[in-house]
Structure formats: C-alpha cells, structure tokens
Amino acid sequence: MLLKINNLKFTINLKHIFILSITLLAVNVMAAQEIIEDEVKETAKETDTVKSNFKALKVDGVAAVVGDYIVLESDLDKEYKQLEAQGVDIKVIKPCELFGKLLENKLYAHHAVQDSVQVSDAEIRQQVDYTIQQFLQQTGGSMEKLLEIHKKEDEKSYRDEIFEIIKNNQLAARMQAKIVEDVDITPDEVRIFFNNIPKDERPIFGTELKVAQIVAEPKVSEDEKQKIIDRLKGFKADVVENGASFRSKVVLYGQDPGMKESGYIYTLDRKKPRMVKEFRDVAFSLQEGEVSDPFETEFGFHIIKLEKIRGQQYDISHILLIPKVSNDAIKEAKERLEKVREKIVAGDITFADAARESSDEKETKFDGGQLINPQTQDYNFELTRMDPELYAQIQNLKDNEISLVLREEDRRGKIKFKILTVTDRIDEHEADYARDYLKIKEQALNEKRVIAIEKWQQEKILDTYIKISGKHRDCDFSSNWLKQ
C-alpha cells in the first residue's frame, strides 16, 4: 500500500499503512465479527473435530479461522458495501487485499483477548447508540426502515450485532495501539529517514498559515452562579437525604447532551485522561454511590455521582447546569473586543500584546493568541486541510490584517466574540528539514510503527491457529497467512 504524505506529489511505499491510518482508531460497524464457541477453540488442533464444526457453520460459508475468530464469506461483501457507502472506489481494491485486511483485524482481536486487553461495555454501548443515531439519519429516523435494510427482525438483535462488531474492532484497535505504544524515534533517525528520500521525490507541502485570535467571553454574574450552585445543592440533598433518583434528575434537568447519547453513564479511566482536569479530579475522589458537591469547569457547574468502580475504570453520571449570561453581558463583551481591535488597528498595541492583556482564552492568550494545529501540534495550518469554519473566517484576510469582531455560539448555547489575524504565510514548498521537522518526524515515526506491526504480525501468524478455506488459498498474500 502507499502512504500519502500530507500534500500531493510524494508517496512512500509502506506495506499495510492502512493499519495505522484507518484501523487503529476507526470502528468499522458493518464488518461482521463472530467468536467461535469454547468447544471449537479447545479442539481446534483436531482436524476431524474442526471439520465437523465448520459444517455446522457452513450456512454462510467459513472463509477463514484466525485463533478464536472466523471470517465468513459474507464479511467480504459487507466490507465492500461499507467502503462503497463511504465513497471509496471499490473497483481498485482487490478481493484478496480486502480479505487480508479482515484476517489482520481478527488476528489483532484474538491476541487482544489473549493479552487481557479490555474495552468497557459502557463505552461500547455509547458507540452503539451513536452509530444507530447516525444510521437513523439516513432513514429519516425510521427504525423500521433501518431494520429492513439490514435484514434484522427487531432492534435488540440489531443492537446486539453492532455491539459485538464494535467491541471486537475496538479490541483489534487497542491491540495495535499496544504494539506501537513504546515505539519512539530519535532526531538522528528522523535525519536518516529524510536523507534517504531521493531529492526529486521529497514531499511538497502546501500553503501554510499561522493564525492568532483574541477572544472575549460574556461574564456570568455572581448572582447567577450562586443560583446554579444552590440548585445543584438542592438536587444533591434530595438524592442523599430523601432517596430521590439521581438518574431522573439527570434526565429532567441535565444540560449535557452527551449524557443521553451515552445511556446516562460516562466511563472514565485513570490511565486514559478524558474530560477536563477539574472534572476528573472530583470523579476520582468519590466513593461508590457518593454524590459530589457542586463544582465549576469551563462548561458550567456540575455534580457527579460515582455509580461503580471497576479497577481503573469509573462509571459516573453527572448533572451539568450552564449559567445564563445577560444581554448586557453579551453587549459588554462585544464592545470590549471592539475597543481592543481599534487599538490594534491604530498601532497603539500589537496583536500579540493585546492577546496577552485582554483575551479570555487561556489556551492561547499567553502565546500571543497563536492557535496550535491539533493535528501537528505546531502553529502551521495547511490551507487545504484547515477546519472549514476557521478557513471561512480568515480566507479573505491579508497578512497582519485584523478581522472584524465575529460572534460564535456552540451547541450548548455558549456565546463568545473573537478577532483573528494571519501572522505568517508559507507558500507551497519542497520539504525543508529544519522548517518541516515535525511533519517529517511524524512520517518517520509512522514508518517505524508500521515496521513494528509487521514484525509482530509475522511472529503471531506463526503462533496462532489459522485456516484459510477454498478459493482464498489462491490469494498472493503479502503476509504469511498460509504459513508456507
């Protein structure tokens, strides 16, 4: 397969790079997964018994067995349909290539179980809910049509199937992540990687911009904050003293839309930070069944109930209340930012100094308002890969020109105002080791990760029970699935 590097004109031939770019974090909800029952696993080395078990499953046709997992003939068709639905030109994907990808997924999932890699059922249920909601949008919200399309008798059986699909794909993804978690790269290795690229094949990076912003947020009054705190204290007292249902209060009063999507339970893992620090600190300080006091985060005010502790994982529920800002506060924030803009345009203060002095966005203010690209962790935004909303806000700005005051409102109704400027522009250019070091480092690291995965795969194929059936044995696999 080919690894396409950032922007046109350059490719590196890295086998199975889709392992990292697609499978590592994606959930392929259309590829059927099935686990062989224990009696098959226990007798897998006995040819006659294996054959008898295969006959029992022959209704769909068993294409392969990888450890405790099987690949059905129908899995290949479903995989093609899923790729086609995503807009992929399936004509360029050979059946043997796709079949090899399915074998890899099963190999990872099998060894994830063997290595005690775990996924949270609560987390999987959350993804099931999200997946079904996405599918329902395609049927106008009709579950009946959705079940008909996927040939399922009822919603429960459909949910159960998606649950197993997502769970097994998550096992595979986490196994891959575990393989490469300790893979790192030194500056010297990056330099060697770059120098080994023929000069006429070095990547061409597109136009890049550096963008800075100053943000003004309407202030919530102290009276409004106290009203929210008192209300949350009342909720807690009703639950603790009167035995009221915490879940009912979440359903009726909570303002976090993600709670409903997750089945009113979030699973936090001490080893995998999720949620803002203030939220995690409170959640991990609770005992099972305990309800926290009200506390504040950037999203509003919360109380948390710790439902269950499972090792490093905490199942929690919470009530979020978002304070309302007055019209006067909204007006004040806009006028405050307009005055800041006037001073910058007049030359009384630089944009960077104004950001440090006046911006309400703590993530950027101390860096002169400079935005960090979340993909590359540097200040550069490639024009063709920029977030569409950000691009729309800066596309007509000249270098160092200041935008008008822009109003933004998120899905929770939180309002803020901002001004932006383009602080630097780098035109399309051939990769430069010093200027583009972080991008080159990431490409070199990806190559090293692929090599680590290939090595792991070669070793595990030899250690794992694998049987390829029928016409699939004629495939010219890039990996030694036939153990020849």
Side-chain angles (χ1 to χ4, degrees):
M1 304 294 287
L2 295 177
L3 169 61
K4 296 183 179 178
I5 294 187
N6 279 351
N7 189 48
L8 308 176
K9 303 183 184 179
F10 179 72
T11 58
I12 297 177
N13 188 9
L14 296 177
K15 185 172 64 173
H16 307 315
I17 189 59
F18 60 81
I19 295 172
L20 291 171
S21 61
I22 299 176
T23 314
L24 186 57
L25 295 176
V27 177
N28 182 354
V29 298
M30 295 295 290
Q33 313 265 354
E34 185 171 344
I35 298 178
I36 299 176
E37 300 298 331
D38 289 343
E39 61 266 28
V40 177
K41 180 169 63 176
E42 292 171 358
T43 58
K45 296 181 181 179
E46 298 175 24
T47 305
D48 294 339
T49 308
V50 171
K51 287 182 178 179
S52 67
N53 278 293
F54 284 171
K55 289 178 181 178
L57 295 168
K58 197 64 177 177
V59 175
D60 188 10
V62 175
V65 178
V66 181
D68 292 341
Y69 290 80
I70 64 173
V71 179
L72 301 175
E73 294 289 353
S74 62
D75 289 349
L76 203 58
D77 294 333
K78 290 177 181 178
E79 188 77 10
Y80 269 122
K81 289 178 181 178
Q82 172 67 1
L83 292 172
E84 189 174 28
Q86 296 172 351
V88 176
D89 183 5
I90 61 175
K91 294 179 182 178
V92 303
I93 304 176
K94 297 178 181 179
C96 285
E97 291 177 342
L98 194 58
F99 186 66
K101 177 179 179 292
L102 293 177
L103 294 177
E104 289 174 355
N105 286 347
K106 298 297 191 287
L107 184 70
Y108 300 131
H110 170 74
H111 284 282
V113 174
Q114 302 302 309
D115 291 0
S116 300
V117 174
Q118 297 181 347
V119 294
S120 162
D121 285 354
E123 182 181 344
I124 300 302
R125 284 194 295 270
Q126 179 180 349
Q127 294 184 31
V128 170
D129 291 338
Y130 176 80
T131 299
I132 290 178
Q133 288 301 318
Q134 293 298 107
F135 286 162
L136 284 173
Q137 292 180 12
Q138 302 172 14
T139 62
S142 172
M143 176 60 73
E144 184 176 331
K145 289 182 180 179
L146 186 60
L147 295 176
E148 182 180 348
I149 291 172
H150 294 282
K151 299 179 181 179
K152 292 296 175 183
E153 295 182 358
D154 53 54
E155 182 177 346
K156 183 180 183 305
S157 62
Y158 183 52
R159 282 182 174 275
D160 289 345
E161 179 180 278
I162 293 179
F163 183 93
E164 289 304 317
I165 291 170
I166 293 177
K167 183 174 183 178
N168 292 323
N169 276 288
Q170 281 292 308
L171 284 172
R174 293 189 182 185
M175 188 67 243
Q176 291 174 8
K178 183 177 179 180
I179 295 168
V180 301
E181 65 183 355
D182 294 327
V183 176
D184 203 351
I185 195 161
T186 66
D188 194 49
E189 288 175 314
V190 177
R191 180 184 56 79
I192 293 172
F193 169 83
F194 182 74
N195 290 338
N196 283 339
I197 303 173
K199 192 166 190 316
D200 60 350
E201 295 181 11
R202 286 181 179 169
I204 301 298
F205 294 121
T207 300
E208 296 175 337
L209 306 177
K210 292 182 179 179
V211 181
Q213 68 182 24
I214 299 175
V215 174
E217 298 179 354
K219 307 298 183 183
V220 178
S221 71
E222 292 303 316
D223 286 345
E224 174 66 15
K225 289 183 180 180
Q226 193 58 52
K227 287 179 183 178
I228 294 293
I229 292 172
D230 291 343
R231 194 176 184 203
L232 289 172
K233 285 182 177 179
F235 290 159
K236 177 181 178 179
D238 198 19
V239 171
V240 174
E241 298 172 12
N242 303 324
S245 168
F246 190 89
R247 178 189 171 93
S248 295
K249 294 188 183 298
V250 176
V251 173
L252 292 173
Y253 307 112
Q255 295 177 294
D256 178 0
M259 285 302 293
K260 181 177 181 180
E261 296 172 4
S262 68
Y264 299 103
I265 293 291
Y266 285 150
T267 298
L268 306 184
D269 193 320
R270 283 185 174 275
K271 295 183 178 180
K272 299 176 181 177
R274 180 186 177 194
M275 305 295 192
V276 293
K277 182 178 184 300
E278 299 90 339
F279 192 96
R280 298 197 309 270
D281 288 346
V282 173
F284 293 143
S285 70
L286 299 175
Q287 301 296 318
E288 280 194 10
E290 185 179 0
V291 180
S292 75
D293 290 328
F295 65 97
E296 184 178 11
T297 71
E298 63 189 82
F299 301 103
F301 289 85
H302 316 249
I303 55 173
I304 296 175
K305 181 181 180 184
L306 177 57
E307 301 288 352
K308 190 174 183 61
I309 300 176
R310 296 176 290 106
Q312 297 295 315
Q313 295 183 329
Y314 286 52
D315 292 339
I316 63 97
S317 185
H318 84 122
I319 301 172
L320 167 67
L321 295 183
I322 303 172
K324 295 179 181 179
V325 295
S326 67
N327 290 332
D328 287 343
I330 294 173
K331 181 181 178 182
E332 184 277 332
K334 182 179 180 182
E335 291 177 349
R336 173 161 45 94
L337 192 55
E338 285 175 341
K339 291 179 181 178
V340 171
R341 182 182 184 278
E342 289 173 3
K343 292 179 180 179
I344 297 172
V345 172
D348 297 336
I349 190 172
T350 66
F351 193 97
D353 286 342
R356 295 184 186 98
E357 181 68 28
S358 305
S359 183
D360 292 330
E361 187 173 61
K362 61 182 180 180
E363 294 84 1
T364 62
K365 69 175 297 178
F366 298 111
D367 206 8
Q370 288 290 162
L371 295 176
I372 295 178
N373 187 332
Q375 303 299 321
T376 61
Q377 295 303 308
D378 62 13
Y379 296 131
N380 297 324
F381 290 82
E382 192 173 337
L383 201 59
T384 58
R385 297 171 179 265
M386 185 176 288
D387 176 80
E389 183 177 358
L390 178 60
Y391 176 76
Q393 293 171 339
I394 58 90
Q395 62 176 326
N396 296 322
L397 289 180
K398 299 176 182 178
D399 292 356
N400 298 313
E401 182 181 2
I402 313 301
S403 74
L404 298 175
V405 174
L406 306 173
R407 172 177 168 144
E408 283 190 355
E409 184 171 346
D410 64 20
R411 64 174 184 167
R412 298 186 302 275
K414 186 176 182 179
I415 296 170
K416 67 180 179 181
F417 297 93
K418 67 180 182 178
I419 54 175
L420 301 102
T421 188
V422 175
T423 60
D424 191 21
R425 184 186 303 268
I426 303 173
D427 293 328
E428 181 178 278
H429 62 284
E430 180 183 296
D432 177 88
Y433 181 75
R435 175 188 289 175
D436 303 307
Y437 178 80
L438 289 177
K439 298 186 188 69
I440 296 166
K441 177 183 177 181
E442 186 62 26
Q443 293 161 8
L445 182 58
N446 278 342
E447 181 182 71
K448 194 171 181 180
R449 286 168 176 162
V450 170
I451 292 171
I453 284 181
E454 287 180 342
K455 181 180 178 181
W456 179 92
Q457 189 180 106
Q458 291 167 3
E459 293 173 354
K460 295 304 180 182
I461 284 176
L462 296 177
D463 295 339
T464 307
Y465 175 80
I466 297 171
K467 181 175 177 63
I468 311 295
S469 302
K471 62 182 180 181
H472 303 291
R473 295 186 60 82
D474 296 330
C475 285
D476 183 17
F477 295 115
S478 57
S479 296
N480 188 26
W481 294 108
L482 297 175
K483 299 188 179 183
Q484 296 176 339

